[in-house]
Amino acid sequence: MKEKRRPSPLLCLLLASIPAAVLLAAGQTARADGESLQLPSAAAVADRSAMEQTEDWLADHFPLQSSLTAMHTRLELLTGRREVDGVYVLSDRLLERQGTIPEKTVSLSAQAVSDFATGFRGAVSLMLVPGAESVESDLLPAPAAPASQKTIIDRAYELTAEKVSTIDCYSMLSADRERYLYYRTDSRWTSLGAYLAYSACGKQMGFTALSVDRMDVVHASHSFRGNLCRRIQYNGVEPDTIDIYSIPGDDSEVHLQVYDGQCWSGHTGLYFREYLEDDGYSVFLGPDQPVITIETDVRSAPRLLILKDSWANALAPFLTAHYSTITLVDPALLRQPLGEFIDMDSYDQALICCSLSSFAEEDWAENLNRLGS
Amino acid sequence: MAFSSLIFLYIFLPLALLCCWLAPNQWKNAVLLGVSLLFFAWGQPKGVLLLLVSLILNHYGGLWLERQSTKRSRRMALAAGVAGNLLLLCLQYPAFTVRNSPVIMGLSLCTLQGISYQVDIYRREVRAQGSFITYGTYAAMFPKMVAGPLTRYGELRGDLARQSFSGAQAVTGFERFIVGLSKKVLLADRMSELRAQIQAASQPGAAVAWVGLLAFSLEFIFTLSGCSDMAVGLGKMLGFRLPENVNYPFSALSLKDFWQRWNVTLFAWLRDYIYRPLGGSRNLLRRIAATLLCAVLGGLWYGRKGNLLLFGLYSGLMLLGEHFLWGRTLEKAPKPLRRTLTMITVLLGWVFFSAESAPDAFRYFGCLLGLHGLEMSKALYLVSCYWLILLLCLLLAGKWMYLLLQKLEQRFPRLKKALSITVALLLLCCCTACLLSGSPVPSWITRI
């Protein structure tokens, strides 16, 4: 038989269509979420980061990404795995695996907190929130249970004790761990978990926390599938309920000024119900933004600065009853010194509130130092 | 660029195949070289310069060597060529003390191929290649840039002169590539996760440490074997017959047998260009020196770290022990026992290989001996989380699956053909799903 020396046009078309289809589909997804692949700089090409970024971008925007991720999760579970991409899949809930918390970065972050407190004129409080993996470790098989985060939190508190007052959130959450403190499908705490933390804050920060019996609880959503669900595209556990706590008869108005990294915009009210369908947790103060300022009706009350990660978004609504102004700053998102946005001296108190895993991230200390510079 | 990446699978490979297949015959090598340089430049653009230096050095060095007429001048030309390559190798491996120094994936392979090319010309086994493009295509073609195989110029000379497209070869090559990709992504990467979990614990108990060692050995062999399959498959798609690099090492009946199976082309290179020239088979002293040197170089090939030097020394001493002391006794033992003893010897050697440093390796030996307890429940938990992958790895490590497929092909050729392509597409889908969360590239691959 005569050997065919050239591929058929159909095969060529098929080969050419693979990269075209992948790039076109990825480009469409990118435009839909407002993100587009920028041309890398020469320096980025030289230090390999451009290639890594391109590969990450392609993975994030790959056609059928959600279906393929769901398939990956199913495959992993089929082979006996109980943990997929850092998420434990238990019979009735998901749990984020935070792994070993590096002591070195915790020490660096603690040092950054002390430095910040030295430069701040008012009282500074620190509240490190443990992950569900640590508080509810009894849900995991014994060999997979992590070391308690309490030891590391206590160590961070010891290192900062001279400059800041510390808030023991761990004990409060542990004592009530049978209750609905953490979402089943999200890595963060529920409104009840945030309320317990608020109660703990009151003792240290000099206000009396409102009793939960005085509040109305509104079930804003019963179909919340959180960040853990989205990460592994697994819908095998019951969706969560998002609760909003409010004081009956309280008709005070709250105004939000939000800085998204480019410009400021104004909103009325603390809750963004339009996000309930999409990313339910964003109902609290909207999506993560570098700076959010809350103006309340409590005119004579002190002013509070909160340096935080997204966990504090569910906590802030409780604090509005005790402060005239609350400014929330996310050090991971704000790229400029804080002094360019606000007058730090006008604040009476500062609260640093974040999860222990955020606090232990490598760039946490650097971000905090940049804010204070 | 790694083969197990979305960019390679869905952007680079289809375009590269299209360019190479559609190029006119006289341009095929030039196109393949250009595509290979692009592959090499992805993630290490500065490395292209070193690669070009290596290609120029060996191509023109080879031509110069061939032109020499006297034995003395030929020796001088060979010495200059080898020294140039060794200098390039030193740039790749600056010093034992320099940590985290940049390494360029594929450059060591090019260097060893350059040395074999010079020596083969010196021995008059091949004629120097007159075209720089053709030599460059041989030395730097992308299918073998990730973990080999290490090829001799003589093996590819025919294919370089006549690359023809064959639909059947392309399909076979694609299937072979997918088999390799699956070994890497579905098996080796899972074992890598298991090993990483165990290594994260500073002092694992004995049972956990043994599971970790087994996971590393499976990860290593399936990564190497996967890369070899992918290279052979890509070669077939492009019209090249690349040699096999891994030959069922877990079936080895002795340590010597194992060394001839786990990186076939590297150890054939060491045998032909170091062991034999040193007179390894001539007398006792030379055999000892040559065996030790080859084993040490075999270890250092995977990195310039002290633990890999110890791995080489350990392997060399065990090879000598097997040859002079217990080899004959071992030959009389039943095969299962021989396999088991060989694997235990190999696993212990891999303690040096898998560690971050020599002290870490000795600490791990302590864990294996139970200095930090047993941790049986944790070991059982880990095994239960990976039981199917572990089982698949152990089943696929032997030759029986290959023999079964061969029988299937003989009896039901059409069924096998239909099944192969369906299974390959299904595996590609599974690999893509896994690749969305990334595929780790072991550090030893980047040092080759």
Side-chain angles (χ1 to χ4, degrees):
Chain A
M1 203 171 84
K2 193 182 167 189
E3 195 178 13
K4 202 175 174 185
R5 299 185 70 87
R6 295 235 171 257
S8 70
L10 192 68
L11 180 59
C12 294
L13 194 70
L14 181 73
L15 275 181
S17 66
I18 293 170
V22 167
L23 289 176
L24 274 176
Q28 294 268 323
T29 323
R31 276 193 292 278
D33 63 15
E35 191 189 337
S36 59
L37 185 64
Q38 305 290 326
L39 279 177
S41 64
V45 170
D47 69 8
R48 303 180 186 200
S49 60
M51 286 69 182
E52 284 161 13
Q53 280 165 19
T54 314
E55 280 168 19
D56 290 346
W57 180 87
L58 189 63
D60 284 348
H61 299 95
F62 200 77
L64 305 173
Q65 202 251 9
S66 313
S67 310
L68 286 167
T69 305
M71 182 183 168
H72 174 225
T73 302
R74 292 286 171 191
L75 270 176
E76 295 280 17
L77 295 177
L78 194 72
T79 60
R81 299 287 300 278
R82 281 159 233 187
E83 184 224 320
V84 184
D85 282 346
V87 179
Y88 287 110
V89 181
L90 306 178
S91 58
D92 59 347
R93 66 167 300 159
L94 306 175
L95 264 185
E96 185 179 41
R97 179 173 64 83
Q98 296 185 333
T100 312
I101 303 283
E103 278 187 39
K104 190 182 166 193
T105 52
V106 169
S107 303
L108 286 173
S109 297
Q111 182 59 48
V113 168
S114 297
D115 294 346
F116 176 82
T118 309
F120 189 77
R121 76 170 183 89
V124 178
S125 305
L126 172 65
M127 179 164 71
L128 296 178
V129 191
E133 180 198 36
S134 181
V135 174
E136 299 179 353
S137 59
D138 51 327
L139 296 176
L140 293 169
S148 167
Q149 291 182 354
K150 175 116 178 58
T151 323
I152 300 163
I153 291 176
D154 287 346
R155 175 74 187 134
Y157 284 179
E158 258 175 50
L159 292 170
T160 51
E162 277 184 22
K163 308 274 182 179
V164 304
S165 58
T166 55
I167 299 166
D168 182 13
C169 179
Y170 193 100
S171 305
M172 191 75 99
L173 294 170
S174 292
D176 275 315
R177 67 172 174 274
E178 300 300 326
R179 298 170 74 186
Y180 187 37
L181 302 183
Y182 293 93
Y183 291 116
R184 288 184 293 271
T185 64
D186 197 280
S187 58
R188 292 161 291 198
W189 53 19
T190 60
S191 297
L192 179 60
Y195 172 79
L196 293 182
Y198 154 72
S199 305
C201 284
K203 289 174 192 161
Q204 281 295 334
M205 295 169 70
F207 60 80
T208 308
L210 300 173
S211 164
V212 75
D213 302 331
R214 283 184 55 202
M215 296 185 185
D216 273 349
V217 181
V218 178
H219 303 307
S221 169
H222 288 294
S223 56
F224 171 48
R225 293 197 181 276
N227 55 12
L228 301 180
C229 246
R230 287 196 298 278
R231 193 192 301 176
I232 61 169
Q233 292 294 328
Y234 181 74
N235 290 335
V237 293
E238 195 187 333
D240 277 299
T241 299
I242 293 182
D243 291 335
I244 290 178
Y245 286 54
S246 60
I247 302 164
D250 179 16
D251 53 359
S252 57
E253 276 211 346
V254 173
H255 296 281
L256 260 65
Q257 289 293 318
V258 178
Y259 177 70
D260 64 3
Q262 291 177 336
C263 60
W264 289 89
S265 58
H267 297 271
T268 301
L270 293 164
Y271 303 105
F272 290 65
R273 287 172 189 272
E274 63 269 31
Y275 289 106
L276 279 173
E277 290 300 309
D278 188 22
D279 171 17
Y281 191 83
S282 296
V283 73
F284 305 107
L285 308 182
D288 286 336
Q289 301 288 5
V291 185
I292 300 172
T293 295
I294 305 170
E295 298 287 348
T296 71
D297 275 354
V298 199
R299 296 288 172 208
S300 55
R303 288 160 64 86
L304 173 67
L305 173 68
I306 303 180
L307 304 178
K308 55 98 191 179
D309 62 6
S310 63
W311 287 63
N313 292 11
L315 169 72
F318 293 107
L319 297 170
T320 54
H322 311 282
Y323 293 92
S324 61
T325 303
I326 301 172
T327 297
L328 297 107
V329 178
D330 190 331
L333 299 180
L334 188 65
R335 296 281 130 201
Q336 299 100 316
L338 199 50
E340 291 180 19
F341 293 87
I342 56 170
D343 176 13
M344 297 254 277
D345 289 341
S346 68
Y347 288 85
D348 305 292
Q349 287 181 319
L351 167 67
I352 297 170
C353 167
C354 64
S355 63
L356 179 63
S357 58
S358 294
F359 190 76
E361 277 174 13
E362 275 187 9
D363 50 1
W364 173 265
E366 191 188 323
N367 290 335
L368 195 58
N369 289 334
R370 187 183 56 241
L371 286 190
S373 65
Chain B
M1 195 185 295
F3 292 153
S4 52
S5 68
L6 293 171
I7 289 211
F8 178 80
L9 285 178
Y10 289 97
I11 312 286
F12 181 87
L13 183 60
L15 293 177
L17 288 177
L18 207 56
C19 293
C20 292
W21 285 346
L22 293 181
N25 279 347
Q26 65 272 29
W27 286 96
K28 275 193 189 298
N29 283 337
V31 171
L32 181 53
L33 178 59
V35 161
S36 300
L37 290 177
L38 203 65
F39 174 87
F40 194 83
W42 185 259
Q44 45 185 18
K46 289 175 190 167
V48 174
L49 282 178
L50 276 178
L51 178 68
L52 285 173
V53 170
S54 166
L55 298 184
I56 291 168
L57 171 82
N58 287 303
H59 172 64
Y60 292 103
L63 287 173
W64 183 52
L65 170 59
E66 195 173 54
R67 260 185 249 125
Q68 306 307 310
S69 50
T70 65
K71 197 169 182 180
R72 189 163 180 271
S73 61
R74 287 177 68 80
R75 268 193 187 168
M76 292 290 285
L78 175 67
V82 171
N85 276 300
L86 290 178
L87 191 68
L88 273 176
L89 209 57
C90 290
L91 288 174
Q92 168 82 331
Y93 297 94
F96 275 80
T97 51
V98 179
R99 278 176 180 262
N100 299 323
S101 56
V103 285
I104 297 155
M105 189 165 75
L107 195 66
S108 304
L109 270 166
C110 278
T111 311
L112 289 206
Q113 287 181 158
I115 293 175
S116 70
Y117 177 67
Q118 303 273 343
V119 175
D120 289 352
I121 293 172
Y122 173 79
R123 290 175 179 167
R124 299 189 199 278
E125 287 173 6
V126 293
R127 298 289 310 272
Q129 171 55 248
S131 156
F132 175 74
I133 298 283
T134 308
Y135 174 76
T137 310
Y138 149 70
M141 66 167 71
F142 75 87
K144 53 182 186 171
M145 293 302 260
V146 182
L150 203 57
T151 52
R152 321 275 173 90
Y153 173 67
E155 291 171 333
L156 294 184
R157 192 173 34 187
D159 292 338
L160 284 162
R162 193 181 62 89
Q163 300 165 45
S164 57
F165 171 80
S166 150
Q169 281 290 304
V171 171
T172 321
F174 171 74
E175 288 166 2
R176 185 72 190 271
F177 177 81
I178 295 297
V179 167
L181 183 73
S182 306
K183 281 183 184 173
K184 167 75 177 76
V185 176
L186 302 180
L187 302 180
D189 286 358
R190 308 303 110 188
M191 288 297 98
S192 164
E193 284 171 15
L194 174 58
R195 176 188 55 83
Q197 274 185 42
I198 292 169
Q199 276 188 344
S202 53
Q203 292 173 336
V208 174
W210 279 102
V211 172
L213 194 55
L214 179 67
F216 173 78
S217 55
L218 292 171
E219 176 201 351
F220 181 81
I221 288 300
F222 278 96
T223 301
L224 200 63
S225 169
C227 288
S228 165
D229 286 342
M230 286 190 272
V232 172
L234 288 169
K236 276 189 179 172
M237 286 192 253
L238 292 165
F240 290 91
R241 283 161 296 175
L242 295 179
E244 300 288 343
N245 206 18
V246 181
N247 180 24
Y248 301 98
F250 288 108
S251 310
L253 293 170
S254 65
L255 194 59
K256 185 182 172 193
D257 189 18
F258 181 84
W259 272 66
Q260 285 166 346
R261 287 168 176 266
W262 71 290
N263 196 337
V264 177
T265 55
L266 173 68
F267 299 110
W269 191 97
L270 288 170
R271 181 196 63 214
D272 292 347
Y273 297 102
I274 298 198
Y275 186 81
R276 282 182 184 158
L278 286 177
S281 43
R282 271 184 240 157
N283 64 42
L284 179 71
L285 214 58
R286 280 176 181 246
R287 177 184 279 271
I288 291 172
T291 304
L292 281 177
L293 182 64
C294 285
V296 165
L297 290 176
L300 292 179
W301 169 253
Y302 293 97
R304 63 186 196 295
K305 297 195 296 186
N307 54 308
L308 292 170
L309 181 80
L310 286 177
F311 165 76
L313 274 175
Y314 164 86
S315 304
L317 289 171
M318 284 294 163
L319 281 167
L320 289 171
E322 186 179 89
H323 184 80
F324 291 113
L325 301 173
W326 57 81
R328 292 212 176 137
T329 317
L330 195 68
E331 274 173 21
K332 290 172 195 159
K335 279 186 178 179
L337 180 66
R338 289 173 70 184
R339 281 204 183 99
T340 310
L341 290 174
T342 303
M343 277 327 295
I344 291 173
T345 318
V346 168
L347 281 176
L348 292 176
W350 273 338
V351 173
F352 291 113
F353 197 111
S354 63
E356 283 297 309
S357 62
D360 275 353
F362 289 112
R363 269 195 290 275
Y364 202 83
F365 272 119
C367 298
L368 289 171
L369 292 172
L371 292 187
H372 305 291
L374 189 61
E375 289 195 312
M376 185 54 91
S377 61
K378 190 172 181 184
L380 288 174
Y381 170 74
L382 289 168
V383 170
S384 75
C385 288
Y386 289 88
W387 70 271
L388 189 58
I389 299 292
L390 278 166
L391 189 68
L392 276 175
C393 284
L394 293 173
L395 287 177
L396 294 172
K399 211 172 181 178
W400 71 273
M401 183 68 102
Y402 170 74
L403 296 173
L404 194 75
L405 285 173
Q406 255 192 343
K407 279 193 176 167
L408 183 72
E409 191 170 17
Q410 282 163 4
R411 293 192 66 177
F412 311 104
R414 282 191 182 173
L415 176 71
K416 200 257 172 182
K417 208 172 180 181
L419 266 181
S420 300
I421 195 75
T422 313
V423 171
L425 290 173
L426 199 68
L427 285 174
L428 176 62
C429 202
C430 294
C431 290
T432 306
C434 292
L435 284 175
L436 287 179
S437 45
S439 172
V441 179
S443 56
W444 56 264
I445 278 197
T446 59
R447 297 189 207 108
I448 290 177

